[in-house]
Amino acid sequence: MPIPHAVYRLFDKDKQLLYIGCSMELKARMQHHKHSKPWACDIDVVRLEWFPDEILARRAEAAAIISEQPRYNLARVDPD
């Protein structure tokens, strides 16, 4: 059975896009960012977009990273 996944966008107080990610466990993922990323203290807004499964979410994440160019996404994401 497919598990819903979210593509999340993290913005600073000036509405600048910091990071785009994908997860089915958002609370754990946000905690990971909070404890491992020096820029986490800049996060002011989190926007979510839900997908019915991981494949669709990963494709949307990859397309968003390419088109929106978030400041802290360093790795290139393969949509397939």
Side-chain angles (χ1 to χ4, degrees), residues 21-32:
C22 177
S23 181
M24 66 179 196
E25 296 288 341
L26 288 169
K27 186 175 181 178
R29 192 68 180 135
M30 292 302 112
Q31 286 297 319
H32 172 76

Side-chain angles (χ1 to χ4, degrees), residues 23-80:
S23 181
M24 66 179 196
E25 296 288 341
L26 288 169
K27 186 175 181 178
R29 192 68 180 135
M30 292 302 112
Q31 286 297 319
H32 172 76
H33 288 318
K34 180 180 176 181
H35 295 291
S36 68
K37 304 298 182 190
W39 46 263
C41 61
D42 295 334
I43 298 169
D44 186 60
V45 174
V46 177
R47 292 193 186 144
L48 305 176
E49 182 178 5
W50 285 95
F51 294 85
D53 61 39
E54 183 178 11
I55 293 170
L56 293 174
R58 294 283 176 198
R59 288 179 180 162
E61 174 195 27
I65 290 169
I66 291 166
S67 67
E68 298 172 41
Q69 297 290 301
R71 186 179 312 159
Y72 295 113
N73 282 90
L74 302 177
R76 286 286 145 217
V77 177
D78 183 1
D80 290 315

